[in-house]
Amino acid sequence: MERRKILSLILIFTFFFSSIKAQENKNCDSYLASYPDIIKVVLDNKDNLDLSQEQMESIESAISTYEPMILERKKQINQLQEKLNKLILEGGKSEDIKQIILKLAQLKAENLVLKIKEIREVQNSLTESQYKKILSLIEAKKI
């Protein structure tokens, strides 16, 4: 009975991560959920936004603060994902699989929190009109 519970848990988590993976684009495969990529929109449209030198420095500072931490977690996530795949295919122990799944969820959640902090810092360096332009650009991309 215990084995069935663990197998069910593994299947649920595998389905959960598969569905998340399918929803994520190539830029946010190391996050627990997808998010609007405000930073990319800001950087792609920095000329149209008339960003000041101070704003650009603030944005670059936010990126340089958070991206190294995010990238480090991405490496760990990729390594754990490979280990998980190997354990699943080779009939690894259920407890080992469960521990990797939990660690993956933790790392992905941490990455999402870091990304949100990075986004908030970028948002805070924009004026209200600049931020409204960003929102309009994001909305236009959805169409």
Side-chain angles (χ1 to χ4, degrees), residues 123-138:
Q123 286 173 318
N124 291 335
S125 60
L126 299 172
T127 65
E128 187 176 340
S129 64
Q130 288 170 329
Y131 188 63
K132 284 181 181 179
K133 275 186 186 179
I134 293 299
L135 294 177
S136 296
L137 290 166
I138 289 171

Side-chain angles (χ1 to χ4, degrees), residues 13-14 16-18 20-21 24 29-30 73-89 97 100-101 103-105 107-108:
F13 276 116
T14 303
F16 176 71
F17 283 115
S18 297
I20 288 174
K21 189 98 172 139
E24 294 173 338
D29 60 346
S30 296
R73 280 172 184 73
K74 281 183 180 182
K75 286 180 194 174
Q76 293 173 11
I77 289 166
N78 290 338
Q79 291 169 348
L80 283 173
Q81 189 62 56
E82 287 177 21
K83 190 174 178 180
L84 176 64
N85 292 343
K86 185 176 178 183
L87 285 173
I88 291 170
L89 294 174
I97 292 171
I100 290 174
I101 290 169
K103 185 64 178 173
L104 279 169
L107 288 169
K108 286 185 175 199

Side-chain angles (χ1 to χ4, degrees), residues 9-32:
L9 182 65
I10 291 169
L11 289 174
I12 290 169
F13 276 116
T14 303
F15 176 76
F16 176 71
F17 283 115
S18 297
S19 65
I20 288 174
K21 189 98 172 139
Q23 292 173 357
E24 294 173 338
N25 63 32
K26 65 181 178 179
N27 293 329
C28 61
D29 60 346
S30 296
Y31 302 101
L32 194 56

